[in-house]
Amino acid sequence: MNNTTGSQDAGLAIHTEKLNLWYGTFQALFDVDLKIKQGIITSMIGPSGCGKSTFLRSVNRINERLGYVRITGAIDVMGENIYAPGVELVQVRKQIGMVFQRPNPLPISIRENVLFGHRIHNAATKTSKSEADDIVEGALKTVLLWDKVKDRLDTKATGLSLEEQQKLCIARLLPVKPGVLLMDEPCSALDPKGTEAVEELIWELRGQYTILIVTHNMAQARRASEECIFMLMGKVVEHSDTGKMFVTPENKETSDYIEGRYG
Amino acid sequence: MFETTSINKKNITQQKLVRIGLGTMTGILILPVALILGTLIYKGAPMISFEFLFTGPTKGMTAGGIFPALLGTVLLVLVALLASVPLGVAAAIYLSEYAPDNWFTRSINLAIINLAGVPSIVHALFGVGAFVIFFGFGTSILAASLTLAIMTLPVVIVATRESLQAVPMSFREACWNMGATRWQTIRRVVLPNAVTGILTGVILEVSRTAGETAPIMFTGAAFFLPLLPQGVLDQTMALSLHLFVVSTQVPNMPEQLPFGVALVLISMVLLMNSLSIALRMYLRGKKKW
Ligand SMILES: Nc1ncnc2c1ncn2[C@@H]1O[C@H](COP(=O)(O)OP(=O)(O)OP(=O)(O)O)[C@@H](O)[C@H]1O
Ligand SMILES: [Mg+2]
């Protein structure tokens, strides 16, 4: 798939055209055409197994690891085709950060978790202590975690609470300076309080980053996003303003799902 | 309503019988091990002394110590490790982190497991053909160690692969998502978390290597040498072969001596095994995910 979407629209963070994806012979995505705008929060909803994670994973090209995945169509990120022959995988991943359902901090100190991305991309130059301190402080402040952990930066990140771990997982993406943050059900492992805290954080990041968040929580989609995408069986059914989708959905499937008539 | 019923009673007797039966089986299993160890310690312990460990055999091996054999075994194991650990770890990293999951990789994995089941005498013959004759190392430490290395390679590969695969996929995904290359991920996250497991495998290899006789008999170990080896192309004595020799090949052998040799050999192996178990327990205790 070397074709681009053709459009060089700078206002689009993610632009896919006729994106099809197969796991072996099973087709998980069907002709997905999406235009996800820069700088806003877009949520993605749909019943289990409709391909939300699959979509996210093809945007940062992590699906390819599986030998049996086949993709056709085009995906542009920030106006560039990420499947073009000359594209460096490392650069794609740098540009696109991903947050997972289960917080996955590395089993190293909090400080080193935040610095990990910075270190691997600046392996040749030595980062001074003060520079590293600034990076850690900046990233942790952005995710509203600094005050809680500033006195134990050298303890293992795996000892934090799930909420703190998830915030840390967001924080460690920031020093790499991604343009797009993909979040796959980032709150589903958290309790209501943690969910609220992480949602608040996501809202804070709005504007600085383009955020695409998958959620099963209708209230969350409604509260925390500006545009909303509804997927069903590997297809995009509706993509519109969140307010509009929840009040006057265009499709019957959408309203059925929103009102809880699907699993 | 809580009294025993007749069905209940039957179950209880059954339970007792099963417990006794299984317990007896276990006892029968432990008995020979206890007997062997007991005899070895009873008869061999009086032999052990500084002299015994650190001097060479005298009077046609019927007196003196075992130093050349002890040193020989250590050398054989060390050289074998130098060959098999880098090779085995590299192969395991490739198989677990890089190789695509297809029939070819799967058949390689199967071959490795089968290699572990090849009898050691077959490895010995391979060693003679390959290292002694074809590569021209002669009967030497090098040839014997390489033979041992080939023989224990599967242990290293399997242990390494298992400890690599025990590192959660989510750690790798976390790294890849920050733009780390595969190698950066392996070096900074996967290996540090797998290293204790790899070490366990390596130690197990050591203990197995130390006890082997067949693979070194034709490739580099000698019955008796008046001098210590000067380099890897020399032959050497070895504990396992020495035990065989003093127990069966030398007339007028004092009864205690072979027990002393056996005790030293088995202590080495047990020490290594306990080290590996301790390491594994330490690892399990430390693991946080
Ligand atoms: N690695 C895989 N191999 C084969 N099939 C897969 C794989 N991952 C996902 N699928 C299939 O693709 C379809 C879409 O899966 P996906 O995980 O994208 O759904 P989802 O919308 O994220 O669901 P959920 O809400 O449960 O997370 C499902 O039918 C799933 O069974
Ligand atoms: Mg999913």
Side-chain angles (χ1 to χ4, degrees):
Chain A
M1 50 179 285
N2 300 331
N3 47 321
T4 353
T5 58
S7 88
Q8 294 289 314
D9 194 336
L12 292 182
I14 304 169
H15 183 186
T16 68
E17 248 171 36
K18 297 235 171 316
L19 178 65
N20 287 281
L21 184 144
W22 290 262
Y23 291 111
T25 54
F26 174 80
Q27 186 164 4
L29 295 178
F30 295 81
D31 285 335
V32 172
D33 292 325
L34 276 174
K35 295 181 177 176
I36 294 167
K37 297 198 186 79
Q38 254 179 46
I40 66 164
I41 304 177
T42 304
S43 60
M44 188 174 248
I45 57 173
S48 203
C50 69
K52 305 179 296 291
S53 300
T54 303
F55 179 78
L56 254 56
R57 290 169 153 267
S58 37
V59 174
N60 75 348
R61 290 187 60 176
I62 206 133
N63 264 335
E64 291 160 51
R65 177 168 60 78
L66 306 168
Y68 53 93
V69 169
R70 193 162 64 84
I71 299 180
T72 65
I75 305 178
D76 287 10
V77 173
M78 308 300 212
E80 276 187 56
N81 176 8
I82 57 164
Y83 283 87
V87 163
E88 181 69 57
L89 212 52
V90 165
Q91 296 303 328
V92 172
R93 303 256 171 84
K94 241 178 106 168
Q95 196 49 236
I96 305 168
M98 184 144 173
V99 180
F100 297 84
Q101 187 165 352
R102 283 213 58 87
N104 59 349
L106 297 170
I108 47 181
S109 72
I110 297 174
R111 186 183 152 84
E112 284 307 312
N113 258 285
V114 179
L115 287 171
F116 189 89
H118 178 81
R119 288 208 201 282
I120 55 174
H121 294 297
N122 300 279
T125 55
K126 190 143 172 46
T127 313
S128 73
K129 171 115 178 29
S130 67
E131 193 186 341
D133 287 344
D134 288 347
I135 292 172
V136 173
E137 183 170 347
L140 289 175
K141 274 191 171 150
T142 312
V143 299
L144 318 173
L145 198 58
W146 175 249
D147 290 328
K148 262 194 214 156
V149 301
K150 64 169 183 264
D151 299 323
R152 46 177 173 141
L153 292 175
D154 291 317
T155 58
K156 274 210 172 189
T158 34
L160 294 172
S161 76
L162 282 178
E163 172 200 332
E164 291 162 347
Q165 287 187 13
Q166 196 62 301
K167 285 179 166 176
L168 180 65
C169 289
I170 298 175
R172 72 174 172 203
L173 298 173
L174 308 183
V176 186
K177 305 197 172 59
V180 178
L181 297 180
L182 305 173
M183 306 191 177
D184 197 349
E185 303 182 37
C187 299
S188 65
L190 309 181
D191 60 14
K193 236 186 101 262
T195 303
E196 197 183 313
V198 171
E199 261 180 40
E200 185 191 333
L201 157 64
I202 294 171
W203 198 249
E204 291 279 318
L205 296 174
R206 185 185 161 275
Q208 306 169 52
Y209 301 93
T210 303
I211 297 175
L212 177 59
I213 174 174
V214 169
T215 178
H216 275 283
N217 181 335
M218 290 308 115
Q220 180 173 65
R222 201 166 177 176
R223 270 197 306 270
S225 71
E226 291 153 281
E227 290 197 358
C228 189
I229 297 164
F230 173 59
M231 285 186 72
L232 190 61
M233 317 261 288
K235 296 185 180 114
V236 173
V237 174
E238 193 162 338
H239 177 188
S240 62
D241 198 73
T242 303
K244 182 170 163 294
M245 185 182 290
F246 279 89
V247 179
T248 51
E250 266 166 36
N251 293 275
K252 189 172 163 334
E253 286 107 331
T254 315
S255 56
D256 283 353
Y257 181 72
I258 291 172
E259 285 155 29
R261 266 173 267 155
Y262 280 101
Chain B
M1 67 192 275
F2 294 124
E3 300 88 45
T4 37
T5 64
S6 60
I7 298 182
N8 224 320
K9 266 190 194 129
K10 207 178 133 212
N11 279 343
I12 291 173
T13 9
Q14 206 175 34
Q15 167 95 339
K16 262 187 201 149
L17 284 179
V18 168
R19 182 191 300 238
I20 292 170
L22 293 179
T24 319
M25 295 299 190
T26 314
I28 292 174
L29 205 82
I30 295 173
L31 201 65
V33 180
L35 277 178
I36 292 174
L37 273 181
T39 322
L40 275 184
I41 293 172
Y42 178 67
K43 294 204 175 173
M47 285 302 297
I48 309 294
S49 66
F50 187 82
E51 241 70 59
F52 186 67
L53 292 176
F54 292 102
T55 60
T58 50
K59 297 189 188 148
M61 290 194 266
T62 55
I66 53 165
F67 184 65
L70 192 59
L71 178 75
T73 292
V74 172
L75 280 177
L76 285 170
V77 168
L78 276 183
V79 177
L81 281 184
L82 282 180
S84 67
V85 172
L87 205 63
V89 171
I93 291 180
Y94 178 76
L95 286 172
S96 132
E97 306 293 316
Y98 287 92
D101 181 22
N102 54 25
W103 67 269
F104 187 64
T105 312
R106 279 195 290 272
S107 45
I108 289 181
N109 283 329
L110 205 65
I112 290 168
I113 291 166
N114 279 322
L115 196 62
V118 172
S120 56
I121 189 71
V122 176
H123 283 290
L125 293 178
F126 171 77
V128 171
F131 303 123
V132 177
I133 298 170
F134 184 79
F135 287 111
F137 298 148
T139 45
S140 61
I141 294 179
L142 188 60
S145 289
L146 289 178
T147 310
L148 288 172
I150 298 273
M151 195 187 73
T152 46
L153 211 47
V155 182
V156 179
I157 296 179
V158 170
T160 307
R161 209 183 47 205
E162 275 170 7
S163 42
L164 290 176
Q165 280 166 0
V167 177
M169 203 59 201
S170 65
F171 290 176
R172 296 184 180 81
E173 291 192 331
C175 294
W176 295 339
N177 271 296
M178 280 181 276
T181 60
R182 245 165 218 269
W183 177 240
Q184 283 171 324
T185 306
I186 293 168
R187 197 173 55 95
R188 287 171 185 252
V189 174
V190 181
L191 276 184
N193 281 294
V195 75
T196 2
I198 298 174
L199 269 180
T200 315
V202 170
I203 296 172
L204 277 179
E205 179 200 352
V206 171
S207 75
R208 187 168 165 214
T209 310
E212 280 296 339
T213 319
I216 57 174
M217 225 164 140
F218 314 119
T219 51
F223 273 35
F224 177 74
L225 294 169
L227 293 174
L228 293 177
Q230 303 299 308
V232 288
L233 289 177
D234 286 351
Q235 294 188 42
T236 182
M237 293 176 74
L239 269 184
S240 52
L241 186 63
H242 189 61
L243 177 58
F244 169 69
V245 171
V246 294
S247 342
T248 60
Q249 308 291 304
V250 183
N252 304 326
M253 180 61 60
E255 198 212 352
Q256 310 263 306
L257 197 134
F259 285 102
V261 179
L263 186 61
V264 173
L265 184 56
I266 211 164
S267 307
M268 264 172 89
V269 172
L270 283 185
L271 193 77
M272 283 298 162
N273 282 349
S274 346
L275 203 66
S276 132
I277 291 169
L279 205 61
R280 203 176 310 169
M281 271 157 50
Y282 170 75
L283 163 86
R284 211 174 287 156
K286 234 186 86 176
K287 207 175 270 190
K288 269 281 179 55
W289 63 82

